[in-house]
Amino acid sequence: MIQIAVLSGKGGTGKTMLTAAMATLVREPLVTADADVDAANLALLLDAEVITTTPFYGMECGTIDDLLCTGCGLCEEACRFDAITQADGVWMIDPIRCDGCAVCTEVCPTGAAHMEKIQNGELFLSKTRFGLLSHARLFPGSGTTGLLVHEVKKQAIAHADSSGVLLIDGPPGIGCPLISAVSGVDACILVAEPSVSSLHDLQRLVRVCRQFGPRLYGVINKYDLSEKAAEQITDWFVSEDIPLVGVIPFDEYVATAVREGKPVTDFDCPAAQSIKAIWAEIADQERIDERME
């Protein structure tokens, strides 16, 4: 199975729109994954129906047993994250501030402070007309984004069966979620928009992706909003030996598709035609369609 991640150095470049559109174009069995667990929207465009929901437990968090606590305050003195407070004579650990270091359990003389698992989100497996979709929802304030992205990918691979392609809608930025999303993939489609900030973030994104060795492809979305900026990004792709597999024009049908919860390829419009050409180029480069012959 070939794994392809659609990525962007910043949010709002259109990677989810592109991922949903390409999902309609894959000829062989497909499984998709939404690795943007902080704001997972791919399910909306693929009209997904949830099959299973699994609680996600991330890192352990400290807690205090009131029956064993003597109120000595040693845990509060040792905590470097200001997570332990006292109210009405009761010591408590704030799960949002707790970093899971467990130092409180080491200094507690009675064993009142201990670690326990807390639910940080939910993992979903859904069905779409294009195959299975693995996605998730991270609870606000949870610091386990990278771990949940790993679970999303693991679930997708576990349910891939005979699927020939895993198409991943990646997270924006270059942090832990991106590292989890890119790890093990064969190719990355880098989506940029014609702006100075997009080029800057794209440059950072490429530096991270190249640490994992995937093949890289470039796409410029809404290129005609600033042809000068689009030309600068094109020149940069050339200088980095990254194939520019296509550009997508600004198209009002994209907004219509998003409002209706559909892939833009459900419409006969300029953006859809460009994306079809982009996927044809990538499928040819990755020799994806050859396995269907």
Side-chain angles (χ1 to χ4, degrees):
M1 180 176 67
I2 185 170
Q3 299 185 31
I4 301 176
V6 183
L7 307 172
S8 61
K10 61 184 291 293
T13 62
K15 63 178 179 57
T16 300
M17 176 276 296
L18 181 60
T19 304
M22 291 194 300
T24 71
L25 305 174
V26 180
R27 290 173 51 194
E28 59 181 88
L30 169 73
V31 61
T32 52
D34 192 337
D36 188 2
V37 297
D38 287 301
N41 293 318
L42 185 60
L44 301 178
L45 297 183
L46 297 183
D47 192 24
E49 178 183 344
V50 176
I51 302 172
T52 63
T53 301
T54 306
F56 167 70
Y57 297 93
M59 297 176 63
E60 291 185 330
C61 178
T63 189
I64 298 175
D65 187 336
D66 295 341
L67 298 178
L68 297 177
C69 180
T70 62
C72 67
L74 291 176
C75 57
E76 190 272 340
E77 294 177 8
C79 181
R80 293 296 179 266
F81 301 96
D82 296 325
I84 303 176
T85 58
Q86 187 184 44
D88 298 327
V90 178
W91 288 96
M92 298 174 293
I93 299 179
D94 184 348
I96 300 298
R97 287 183 173 273
C98 180
D99 196 58
C101 68
V103 70
C104 56
T105 67
E106 296 295 326
V107 301
C108 181
T110 64
H114 59 280
M115 305 299 290
E116 66 177 24
K117 291 183 177 181
I118 59 172
Q119 186 176 350
N120 294 131
E122 294 176 317
L123 185 65
F124 306 108
L125 183 67
S126 298
K127 63 179 180 180
T128 76
R129 58 189 168 110
F130 314 107
L132 292 176
L133 165 66
S134 178
H135 54 123
R137 179 171 70 96
L138 186 72
F139 291 166
S142 300
T144 54
T145 313
L147 293 176
L148 185 50
V149 171
H150 174 74
E151 292 300 317
V152 167
K153 285 184 60 182
K154 186 168 71 173
Q155 176 176 253
I157 294 170
H159 290 85
D161 296 328
S162 61
S163 297
V165 175
L166 168 57
L167 192 59
I168 303 167
D169 180 14
I174 59 172
C176 293
L178 172 75
I179 292 171
S180 291
V182 171
S183 179
V185 303
D186 300 287
C188 295
I189 302 171
L190 312 173
V191 186
E193 61 182 6
S195 67
V196 174
S197 61
S198 182
L199 175 57
H200 174 262
D201 292 334
L202 177 67
Q203 292 168 341
R204 298 192 306 158
L205 175 65
V206 167
R207 286 197 294 270
V208 174
C209 288
R210 279 184 166 153
Q211 304 301 312
F212 297 87
R215 294 176 291 278
L216 302 178
Y217 301 101
V219 170
I220 304 176
N221 187 29
K222 298 175 287 188
Y223 78 96
D224 48 346
L225 292 184
S226 175
E227 294 190 4
K228 179 180 179 181
E231 184 177 347
Q232 291 176 334
I233 294 174
T234 299
D235 291 343
W236 185 81
F237 276 135
V238 171
S239 69
E240 293 294 317
D241 197 26
I242 298 174
L244 178 62
V245 291
V247 296
I248 304 169
F250 176 79
D251 189 340
E252 293 182 355
Y253 272 99
V254 173
T256 300
V258 172
R259 283 197 302 269
E260 296 185 11
K262 298 178 180 178
V264 70
T265 42
D266 282 3
F267 299 83
D268 183 12
C269 61
Q273 295 304 318
S274 296
I275 294 170
K276 289 176 182 178
I278 288 169
W279 177 252
E281 178 66 19
I282 292 172
D284 180 63
Q285 292 289 334
E286 297 295 322
R287 300 182 177 179
I288 291 174
D289 291 339
E290 291 182 8
R291 286 174 281 186
M292 293 295 292
E293 298 176 353

